[in-house]
Amino acid sequence: MTPDRRGWLKGLAASGAGLWLAACDKLNESAGVQKGLASAQGLTLRAQRLFQSRKALAQEFTPADIARDFRANGSISPGDPAYRQLLTTGFKAYRLVIDGLVDHPLTLSLADLRAQPSRTQITRHDCVEGWSSIGQWKGARLGPLLDRAGLKREARYLVFHCFDSLEETLDGSGQYYESIDLIDGYHPQTILAYEMNGQVLPVAHGAPLRLRVERHLGYKHAKYISRIEAVADFAHLGQGKGGYWEDRGYEWYGGI
């Protein structure tokens, strides 16, 4: 992957994000513009898959580049009772569930996850709001965990169910969730992070476990993960768009 080509892809994503922020009210009112954005999302996905190897790495940095104050964004301390109970015991009772379209459902403690093949990476987090920050992340590689679970042939996506409810709704649509496809699930930089900058992952940044999927914008990096579900599609979840923010107008792919 050449620097010019990667810069072009980043510029494409950044331009789309800027247009979104500048005219979000009008976008909500215009079916034509919404259709155009959907087309742009498809272009970004196709361009990234065409010009990049499926294993091409996002840029990594040095310890000297790590931001002194990495901004915590979105939900920073879930109030959900199940989460607060886990927090009071230092997440000793926490268990990550990996299920859905798998042959061998998994239930993993933090100790189990720390014993899995891991990766440490220093990468830049790019938020759709227009800011970026560099941090170091360590976590279990997702690919080997998927192999342990044994994905069924019909599995196409991974849904990350999270502890935090951003809204109180009767139908459960306020619960945060996110999804990626299997290509990104098996990417070498896709990890379930339990450390940040050499320390235990802070609550504000998603403790006890958050997704790092480095070739995507920040809203794809789900925090407070409770369960990973392998699915054939996500039409039955939320509004059927593949994520909490996607249900509210953001694009699903969010690639950089």
Side-chain angles (χ1 to χ4, degrees), residues 231-244:
V231 298
D233 62 62
F234 37 72
H236 61 293
L237 298 169
Q239 301 299 313
K241 304 296 180 61
Y244 176 88

Side-chain angles (χ1 to χ4, degrees), residues 79-220:
D80 300 60
Y83 182 83
R84 302 312 298 183
Q85 180 61 37
L86 289 170
L87 180 59
T88 60
T89 62
F91 300 106
K92 291 181 180 179
Y94 172 79
R95 298 293 184 272
L96 171 69
V97 173
I98 301 178
D99 63 4
L101 296 176
V102 300
D103 294 320
H104 310 290
L106 303 177
T107 301
L108 304 165
S109 68
L110 284 175
D112 294 330
L113 288 163
R114 286 180 173 274
Q116 301 304 309
S118 67
R119 195 177 198 279
T120 301
Q121 56 205 32
I122 301 176
T123 53
R124 187 178 66 201
H125 182 95
D126 293 312
C127 181
V128 71
E129 293 175 352
W131 58 269
S132 299
S133 203
I134 294 173
Q136 182 185 72
W137 309 93
K138 180 180 179 180
R141 291 173 51 211
L142 182 55
L145 288 172
L146 298 177
D147 287 338
R148 277 189 59 188
L151 294 175
K152 293 182 181 295
R153 180 175 298 181
E154 58 268 34
R156 294 184 58 202
Y157 302 96
L158 303 169
V159 178
F160 298 82
H161 299 274
C162 304
F163 283 108
D164 52 329
S165 298
L166 299 190
E167 300 175 43
E168 291 186 8
T169 58
L170 294 177
D171 63 358
S173 62
Q175 197 78 20
Y176 199 90
Y177 77 102
E178 191 49 82
S179 64
I180 60 176
D181 64 18
L182 298 186
I183 292 175
D184 288 312
Y186 276 100
H187 188 271
Q189 287 175 316
T190 299
I191 63 174
L192 303 176
Y194 44 70
E195 288 186 12
M196 178 184 182
N197 296 338
Q199 304 294 324
V200 173
L201 185 67
V203 169
H205 288 283
L209 204 64
R210 74 170 296 165
L211 175 66
R212 294 300 306 177
V213 55
E214 302 298 349
R215 299 193 301 178
H216 292 263
L217 291 167
Y219 64 87
K220 299 294 291 185

Side-chain angles (χ1 to χ4, degrees), residues 34-44 46:
Q34 290 284 10
K35 184 177 180 180
L37 284 174
S39 298
Q41 171 182 250
L43 174 62
T44 303
R46 289 191 296 273

